[in-house]
Amino acid sequence: MEELSLHIIDLVENSLSAGSDFINVLIEEDTNKDFILIIVEDNGRGMGPEEIKNVDDPFYTTKKKKVGVGIPFLKELSQLCEGNFTIESKKGEGTKVSLHLKRSCIDAPPMGDIKNTIFTLIASTEYCDLRFFYKKDGNDFEIDTREIRKILGDIPLSNPEVLRFLKAYIEEKFKKIGGMT
């Protein structure tokens, strides 16, 4: 994958496949400290020690597809970019995937379109709550579908008016923090 935003989508899809009903995504970029941090944490089925041991094998997957290259690629990417990659998981409790990269590394992919990634994931995951926290050079933005659902009551997130509002809201917040446009 050419952009980190696509990896975030893949990690969220993994969480959804694991039966998560809440996914927490943290994205932090710091130009001065020269790093990118991505953490995706869920409350899905989790993995036992044997599954964690096999997770970086591209031919091991718990999904219906025959290969799972996302995790092995992220692990390799972290090594290429002077960073680190970790997976913490407990069966029945969930999984936490962390990726830390040196931002200026020549092999570091671009962040990609994070604002549209956030919007797309919110718009396409009706039965799972998502919390996104994005921080860039000290400025931050947070959006949590649990809070949005409290405000909306019985109105679904998939309502076209709600989606229009969310898209505009996310774009406005990203302009204010200097995020990707």
Side-chain angles (χ1 to χ4, degrees), residues 76-94:
E76 181 180 347
L77 182 63
S78 71
Q79 293 165 350
L80 287 170
C81 296
E82 302 173 42
N84 58 50
F85 176 82
T86 60
I87 295 181
E88 301 168 39
S89 189
K90 285 190 179 177
K91 199 83 164 159
E93 293 184 24

Side-chain angles (χ1 to χ4, degrees), residues 20-159:
S20 302
D21 63 9
F22 178 69
I23 302 167
N24 188 40
V25 179
L26 170 106
I27 305 159
E28 185 174 357
E29 295 182 79
D30 193 306
T31 306
N32 293 329
K33 294 181 182 174
D34 195 25
F35 74 84
I36 296 171
L37 173 66
I38 298 171
I39 298 174
V40 177
E41 187 171 14
D42 68 50
N43 67 351
R45 285 188 291 277
M47 296 180 283
E50 192 64 31
E51 290 172 292
I52 291 174
K53 192 167 60 174
N54 290 318
V55 80
D56 59 354
D57 176 351
F59 299 104
Y60 175 82
T61 182
T62 58
K63 297 179 185 178
K64 291 179 182 171
K65 60 185 180 179
K66 299 295 182 208
V67 293
V69 295
I71 297 294
F73 185 78
L74 284 176
K75 188 174 182 179
E76 181 180 347
L77 182 63
S78 71
Q79 293 165 350
L80 287 170
C81 296
E82 302 173 42
N84 58 50
F85 176 82
T86 60
I87 295 181
E88 301 168 39
S89 189
K90 285 190 179 177
K91 199 83 164 159
E93 293 184 24
T95 301
K96 179 180 179 181
V97 176
S98 302
L99 173 68
H100 190 270
L101 306 174
K102 183 175 181 181
R103 194 173 189 275
S104 65
C105 180
I106 193 160
D107 292 316
M111 185 58 73
D113 192 347
I114 292 296
K115 72 174 188 269
N116 278 319
T117 296
I118 292 170
F119 173 75
T120 300
L121 288 170
I122 289 172
S124 64
T125 48
E126 185 66 34
Y127 302 104
C128 179
D129 281 311
L130 300 162
R131 176 187 173 264
F132 289 93
F133 184 81
Y134 175 78
K135 185 174 185 177
K136 183 174 182 184
D137 296 330
N139 299 307
D140 60 51
F141 162 69
E142 180 179 3
I143 189 165
D144 189 328
T145 60
R146 297 171 299 184
E147 297 299 318
I148 297 167
R149 288 181 206 279
K150 282 182 195 175
I151 295 167
L152 293 175
D154 292 336
I155 302 169
L157 290 175
S158 59
N159 178 294

